[in-house]
Amino acid sequence: MSNIKGRKVTLHEMSLRDGMHPVRHQMSLDQMVAVATAADDAGVPWIEVSHGDGIGGSSVNYGFAAHSDMDYLRAVVPQMKQARISALLLPGIGTVDTLKEAMDCGISGVRVATHCTEADCAEQHITYAAKTGLDTVGFLMMAHRAEPAQLVEQALLMESYGARTVYCTDSAGYLLPDGVTARISAMREALQPETELGFHGHHNLGMGIANSVAAVAAGANRIDGALAGLGAGAGNAATEQLVAVFNRMGVETGIDLFKVLDAAEDLVVPMMERPIRVDRSSLILGYAGVYSSFLLFAERAEKRYGIPARDLLLEMGKRGMVGGQEDMIEDLALTWSRAASQ
Amino acid sequence: MSRKLRAVIIGPGNIGTDLLMKMKRSDWIEPVWMVGIDPTSEGLKRAEAMGIKTCATGVDGVLDHVLADDIRVAFDATSAYVHAENSRKLNDLGVIMIDLTPAAIGPFCVPPVNLAQHAREVEMNVNMVTCGGQATIPMVAAVSQVQPVAYGEIVASVSSKSVGPGTRQNIDEFTRTTANAIEAVGGAKQGKAIIIVNPAEPPLLMRDTVHVLTEDEPDQDKITASVHAMLEQVQKYVPGYKLVNGPVFDGNRVSIFLEVEGLGDFLPKYAGNLDIMTAAALRTAELFAQEADKGNFVLPARS
């Protein structure tokens, strides 16, 4: 691994957005404020606050959140001393109207997310956000489904709409370090030098930290982490682990390791409804290349229809389902359970 | 005098071309003009090859021919931004506008739910909502016809190849317009729409999921019967409209899982989203023509 000593990395905290998935979007306002305040105090520069599926994601299909996105944002934003708050927006789920509401709540950045081959669905949102001066990020999800050259084409589109940062987002936790290196290097070569590159990892194959380090080595300077790994599937790369590893490698994050360790242990771990770890379901997500938030839906379908979650997840991967198609899990379980009873 | 109504199609893209192919088979609507804005467009060339008059100067280029060619109905398959102007100019000449854009300046039309009412009221501009709306709102209505619906949510999954640049650039128009029509036509107190674009190869058939929350405990038998009756209504003009699973009941949630296979006219069969839109628009014009033929509907007088 190349020497990254002396590099600066901007960490983006995910536990209050991606971490909404494993708690079924049921975080209380107090919990959110407590975690955000602790991260702020530890020097975490960016914190994302949204429904797991982005602003506007509260729904039957993805689960209704305990509070509206705007209530969460209004509770968190005024408490921040130095951290900036972002929101996630998936075109097709949220709209520019939702973004405007979030801006009224004081967000400083937005990350506009599409499947890795559908960047042109984000044009109106990125264009609007960039014009308003928000820190505007294009977020290419399920990046393992696009070869480096194709990912570059899509990243260039997002850059052309006004995104100042583009992410390679490993939503399935499928990529191995070589795949991350290939994608980030190709993006680094093709995009404007001033365009920042980011990486968002999931730990489904245990590669979250290694992939993040590979991304930095290849030219990324924005990395997503979640306290205690609280995120979909086996979770995100854990913030405290990233800080520890980057400390050892001489990479500057500006974050106090002991403070994020305490926040992870004292505030985030107690919120977990289940251990966030590589288990027999979450590993399959990474193994089969399946969107990490499908996990709970597959387990729920297993309980209700008696079809093993693993089989459902493998089939979702085989069928090329993308983020947002949670409805297809129950649909498949229904079809298979009917076939089994005939 | 022919009982067929003569028509102009505005917009020679995927939707306009598919519509033209279906219209060529119609007993009630005769395609006469295809209007575009780019003389080199493939769509205009295709229309010309099919024996249709074409013009590349937008709606203005066809206005002088409306009376001479006795154009009675226009289909706007462009984008929401130019629709209002197109509609005003053509309405002034007594042309009924069927709006396939998400502009929605006229009332929403979902044929099995409210087309008959629009025909009675001789609406000069009706809006066809969106592909996802045409596929799902009949089912929201099927439930709301049985008992009050607090919330209706739809998830439309469409193949990447079937989604043109217009929809991509204005994806918010899809979610907004569909959500509004779930309320206005579907009868839900609150509506939400989600669209997912899936690039899998070979392309997946259009899938639509309808989640409804009823105010009180759902009457399972009545809702199931209503859903099946509605299915038959839609299948009359979209034969590939299929109930894959459901209705499933879980507390006050009712979920219905649909699939729309197209006829494969212009785009292959996976593009059911294209078909359900064009088929619904044509069905709408045909009913207007039938009502005019019966004398129930008086077309604007022309000298």
Side-chain angles (χ1 to χ4, degrees):
Chain A
M1 196 164 290
S2 58
N3 186 5
I4 56 175
K5 192 174 174 184
R7 296 267 299 277
K8 282 187 183 158
V9 163
T10 305
L11 285 189
H12 205 130
E13 175 57 36
M14 289 294 114
S15 58
L16 304 183
R17 197 280 301 164
D18 214 318
M20 285 284 267
H21 290 297
V23 300
R24 299 169 295 113
H25 318 283
Q26 297 304 302
M27 237 175 257
S28 71
L29 295 173
D30 287 346
Q31 285 174 321
M32 245 197 207
V33 170
V35 174
T37 308
D40 181 38
D41 182 52
V44 174
W46 278 99
I47 303 170
E48 191 151 88
V49 171
S50 302
H51 184 281
D53 297 271
I55 46 177
S58 193
S59 57
V60 174
N61 210 47
Y62 309 123
F64 286 106
H67 301 275
S68 74
D69 291 310
M70 307 313 150
D71 284 346
Y72 285 124
L73 287 168
R74 274 190 289 262
V76 170
V77 172
Q79 306 298 324
M80 294 301 100
K81 295 202 170 69
Q82 59 79 32
R84 290 191 283 173
I85 301 298
S86 72
L88 179 74
L89 170 66
L90 276 67
I93 298 177
T95 62
V96 170
D97 299 334
T98 341
L99 174 59
K100 286 178 186 166
E101 285 180 53
M103 288 171 68
D104 290 341
C105 300
I107 57 168
S108 305
V110 65
R111 311 204 306 166
V112 184
T114 70
H115 185 73
C116 57
T117 56
E118 313 299 322
D120 54 356
C121 291
E123 180 175 354
Q124 74 191 136
H125 316 80
I126 292 180
T127 305
Y128 178 82
K131 259 191 232 152
T132 63
L134 277 183
D135 182 83
T136 305
V137 175
F139 204 65
L140 289 164
M141 300 188 291
M142 297 286 276
H144 73 281
R145 293 260 182 87
E147 290 305 314
Q150 193 182 15
L151 197 65
V152 163
E153 272 174 35
Q154 300 289 309
L156 284 167
L157 283 177
M158 286 183 155
E159 184 184 59
S160 75
Y161 306 147
R164 294 280 65 100
T165 303
V166 183
Y167 262 72
C168 167
T169 304
D170 185 20
S171 318
Y174 177 91
L175 287 174
L176 303 178
D178 282 354
V180 175
T181 302
R183 284 168 177 77
I184 297 286
S185 308
M187 287 163 74
R188 185 66 289 160
E189 210 164 291
L191 272 60
Q192 302 292 330
E194 64 271 22
T195 298
E196 296 181 50
L197 299 183
F199 178 77
H200 173 101
H202 279 271
H203 210 54
N204 303 336
L205 293 179
M207 304 308 284
I209 305 296
N211 282 345
S212 301
V213 171
V216 173
N221 67 306
R222 291 213 189 188
I223 297 295
D224 287 2
L227 288 165
L230 189 72
N236 296 109
T239 302
E240 61 280 11
Q241 293 173 18
L242 285 169
V243 173
V245 169
F246 286 140
N247 280 354
R248 288 272 307 274
M249 298 182 85
V251 172
E252 260 180 68
T253 62
I255 296 173
D256 183 319
L257 173 63
F258 296 154
K259 285 186 177 176
V260 283
L261 274 175
D262 288 344
E265 215 61 34
D266 297 338
L267 297 174
V268 178
V269 171
M271 278 165 44
M272 292 181 183
E273 296 178 348
R274 57 187 283 160
I276 306 290
R277 56 180 278 268
V278 184
D279 59 21
R280 63 180 160 191
S281 298
S282 60
L283 185 143
I284 289 298
L285 298 166
Y287 192 66
V290 179
Y291 200 63
S292 292
S293 59
F294 283 10
L295 177 64
L296 266 58
F297 290 81
E299 292 186 342
R300 228 169 277 156
E302 172 174 325
K303 265 194 201 125
R304 183 158 181 191
Y305 301 106
I307 310 281
R310 179 169 58 202
D311 297 352
L312 292 168
L313 292 170
L314 285 169
E315 184 66 15
M316 286 291 120
K318 213 182 288 172
R319 292 188 181 185
M321 292 295 148
V322 303
Q325 294 194 279
E326 274 77 345
D327 52 324
M328 291 294 104
I329 298 169
E330 186 175 17
D331 175 72
L332 177 66
L334 281 160
T335 299
W336 279 357
S337 66
R338 199 180 46 233
S341 67
Q342 272 166 4
Chain B
M1 182 187 139
S2 162
R3 58 186 187 158
K4 274 194 182 185
L5 293 186
R6 293 159 65 86
V8 54
I9 301 171
I10 310 159
N14 292 348
I15 289 181
T17 305
D18 191 79
L19 186 57
L20 172 56
M21 292 171 78
K22 287 184 169 49
M23 211 179 286
K24 295 280 272 185
R25 300 192 293 263
S26 172
D27 292 333
W28 291 97
I29 305 293
E30 181 186 347
V32 179
W33 279 93
M34 172 71 87
V35 174
I37 47 169
D38 174 6
T40 64
S41 108
E42 287 297 319
L44 286 182
K45 286 180 203 156
R46 277 191 302 260
E48 221 169 86
M50 291 170 73
I52 304 296
K53 297 185 199 181
T54 62
C55 101
T57 49
V59 163
D60 289 343
V62 86
L63 293 177
D64 285 345
H65 303 279
V66 163
L67 296 184
D69 284 339
D70 195 31
I71 301 298
R72 290 296 184 169
V73 53
F75 296 83
D76 193 343
T78 58
S79 75
Y81 298 118
V82 290
H83 173 72
E85 265 305 281
N86 289 347
S87 182
R88 188 185 56 74
K89 290 171 184 169
L90 287 162
N91 277 175
D92 283 352
L93 293 169
V95 178
I96 296 165
M97 174 59 88
I98 315 262
D99 174 17
L100 290 87
T101 79
I105 54 176
F108 292 126
C109 180
V110 178
V113 186
N114 67 358
L115 172 55
Q117 180 197 337
H118 291 323
R120 272 197 307 277
E121 290 165 10
V122 197
E123 290 289 352
M124 289 298 284
N125 179 316
V126 291
N127 176 271
M128 302 311 299
V129 196
T130 59
C131 59
Q134 289 295 341
T136 57
I137 290 167
M139 290 302 168
V140 178
V143 180
S144 73
Q145 284 163 6
V146 173
Q147 64 190 92
V149 166
Y151 176 87
E153 173 182 310
I154 71 101
V155 185
S157 298
V158 291
S159 72
S160 189
K161 280 192 174 158
S162 70
V163 184
T167 306
R168 290 168 181 272
Q169 281 160 12
N170 300 293
I171 202 158
D172 281 5
E173 298 281 356
F174 174 96
T175 47
R176 274 189 213 120
T177 302
T178 310
N180 289 341
I182 290 168
E183 297 169 6
V185 184
K189 294 219 165 69
Q190 195 194 337
K192 180 166 182 71
I194 293 166
I195 181 169
I196 308 288
V197 181
N198 182 312
E201 286 292 341
L204 303 171
L205 289 177
M206 184 198 203
R207 292 298 312 262
D208 295 279
T209 300
V210 179
H211 299 297
V212 158
L213 300 178
T214 53
E215 286 186 358
D216 305 310
E217 193 186 326
D219 183 328
Q220 301 199 6
D221 292 342
K222 279 190 186 162
I223 288 172
T224 304
S226 182
V227 163
H228 284 274
M230 188 60 81
L231 187 69
E232 280 177 32
Q233 291 298 309
V234 179
Q235 283 170 342
K236 283 183 185 165
Y237 57 97
V238 186
Y241 187 69
K242 191 174 143 202
L243 179 65
V244 179
N245 281 306
V248 177
F249 300 90
D250 179 12
N252 283 9
R253 168 172 77 102
V254 184
S255 294
I256 300 160
F257 300 86
L258 302 153
E259 178 180 276
V260 189
E261 180 176 358
L263 286 173
D265 283 327
F266 177 55
L267 286 189
K269 291 183 176 179
Y270 59 75
N273 40 319
L274 199 72
D275 271 69
I276 199 160
M277 197 62 180
T278 53
L282 185 57
R283 169 93 191 98
T284 299
E286 286 178 344
L287 188 87
F288 284 176
Q290 288 160 358
E291 291 300 302
D293 187 55
K294 286 186 214 155
N296 295 339
F297 179 133
V298 181
L299 294 168
R302 284 176 179 172
S303 48

